[in-house]
Amino acid sequence: MNISYLGHSCFVFKIKGKVILVDPFITHNPLAKEISVDEIPADYIILTHGHSDHLADAESILKRTNAQIISSYEILEWYKKKGFTGHGMNIGGSYNFEFGSLRIVTAIHSSILPDGSYGGHPFGVVIQGENKSFYIAGDTALTMDMKLIPMICKPLDFAILPIGDYFTMGYRDAAIAAKFIECKKIIGCHYDTFEPIKIDKEDVSEYFTAQDLQIFLPEVGETIDI
């Protein structure tokens, strides 16, 4: 599977011919200035919570692509008032989409929309499709609930975890999370965008290697074959 990293926590990938975009935050990210929002395809847009650094470009992309939103019930209702459609889900729920199954799992964070509206509970997702199973954690602290994932889902091929600390778990907690979810291949996200979440990539890589884990730290615009 090819996964393209568009900066911060934004990823785009294709399953069964459908393009899934996650947490689009591009035009206001100085590290993503080479990415053209007007060229990003999307059939579905997953919004893990309501913070602007995860949905700032969602509306413009929705208008252009007519993509379906997958988010919390509260966030979907907020977008419905703007004329958009999709699936407003909640923690523990799952649904079989065209691209495969998607389960909503716990994230420990906060969620408020740009106008101050309540964004519901933040979440992560486990997606299973085309013989791949993977976890996108969203913004989260380390939580014991992660231990449930290998109990209720197929074994994970890889996981996308925040590692920048300050607003989410840092890389040391992310290494523990990798063991909780029983997954050795980790793609890091939510790092370097802002001063408080800048990391030393060499330190992170060495730490994960010492924990017998594999960490991918993609450059903005890079595509990973995993």
Side-chain angles (χ1 to χ4, degrees), residues 58-78:
E59 188 167 337
S60 67
I61 297 170
L62 286 164
K63 287 178 179 177
R64 177 173 52 80
T65 63
N66 199 32
Q68 291 284 296
I69 298 166
I70 301 173
S71 195
S72 67
Y73 176 84
E74 291 82 359
I75 289 176
L76 181 63
E77 289 300 302
W78 190 76

Side-chain angles (χ1 to χ4, degrees), residues 11 18 33 60 70 72 79-80 95 97 105-106 108 112 122 140-141 156 159 165-166 180 208-209 214 217 222:
F11 292 85
K18 298 299 178 181
K33 59 185 179 181
S60 67
I70 301 173
S72 67
Y79 275 103
K80 277 185 176 179
Y95 189 76
F97 291 91
V105 296
T106 300
I108 304 299
I112 188 169
T140 187
L156 297 173
D165 217 337
Y166 199 81
F180 281 3
F208 270 70
T209 298
Q214 188 175 9
L217 300 173
E222 183 179 351

